[in-house]
Amino acid sequence: MKRFFVIALTLVVLTVALYYGYYYGNQYWIHRYDVLILRQAEIYHLDPDLVWSIIYEETYFRPWKKGKDGEIGLMQVTPAVARAWAGETGMRDLERQMNENLPALMHDPERNIQVGCWYLEKSYDAYRDTPGAEARMIAAYNAGPSRASDWNRTSEGAPPLSESDFIARIDIASTRAYVISVLERYRKIKATHMGIGQDAEAQRRSAVPSPQ
C-alpha cells in the first residue's frame, strides 16, 4: 500500500511539473519578441497586440519559417514588400544588402517585424477612420491591399460596411478564416491586457491612504 502511494504521488508530481513546464515554456516562446514588437509598433503607430496576433497566426513566432510563395520570417514578409521597404528608406547600402542576401536580412527578427509593420501601417492609414479597421488591415496583410479595397467597396453615398459585412464579402476562404482567427486572438489578448491594467490600477488605488 505504501509503495502504491509513493508511485501515485510521484506520478502526480511529474504531471504537475510537466504541465507547468509546458505552460511557462510556451509563455516564454510566444512572448520572447514582445519588446521588439512594441518598439516597431510604436514607430509605425500600430497596436502591438494586433502585430503580435498576426505573428502568432503567420508563424507561431518561428523566425526561420519560409512560406511556399517565398515569404520569409516571423511576419512572412514577401521579397517584393522587403524590396519596396528598402527602396523607400533611400539607404543604398540597405538596398545593396537586400539584393545580395535578402533571406538573411529578413530572417533577422527585428528587421522582419520592422518591414512587416511598415507594410501593415499602409493599411492602417487607409482604414484608420473606418469602423472595424482591424479586419480590413488583416485582410490586406494576408491577401493584398487591392483585394481588401474591393471587398470594402460600397456604392456612392452608402455607409461603410460593418466588420461582419466586410468579412462576409471576403471570397477567399483561407483569407476569411485568417481574418477571423487573428481578430479572435487579438481581442482575447487585448482583453487580457486590459484586465491586467485594471487590476494594477485597483491595487495602486487601494495602496493610496484615504484622506483623514
Side-chain angles (χ1 to χ4, degrees), residues 23-89:
Y23 174 79
Y24 287 111
N26 184 63
Q27 287 300 300
Y28 164 75
W29 182 265
I30 64 177
H31 291 296
R32 69 194 194 281
Y33 296 122
D34 282 6
V35 172
L36 304 184
I37 292 170
L38 179 61
R39 181 157 58 227
Q40 294 302 325
E42 286 181 345
I43 291 171
Y44 291 101
H45 314 105
L46 300 170
D47 186 337
D49 288 337
L50 182 60
V51 177
W52 182 92
S53 300
I54 288 174
I55 296 174
Y56 190 111
E57 188 73 21
E58 288 285 351
T59 60
Y60 193 64
F61 304 94
R62 291 172 291 183
W64 60 84
K65 188 173 180 183
K66 187 170 182 179
K68 59 183 177 61
D69 294 320
E71 305 94 336
I72 302 170
L74 286 170
M75 295 191 74
Q76 291 293 272
V77 173
T78 65
V81 167
R83 291 190 177 97
W85 166 79
E88 190 171 290
T89 65

Side-chain angles (χ1 to χ4, degrees), residues 181-196:
S181 179
V182 173
L183 279 175
E184 287 178 349
R185 187 165 293 110
Y186 168 63
R187 284 170 181 155
K188 183 177 180 181
I189 192 170
K190 179 62 68 180
T192 299
H193 287 165
M194 287 179 66
I196 292 171

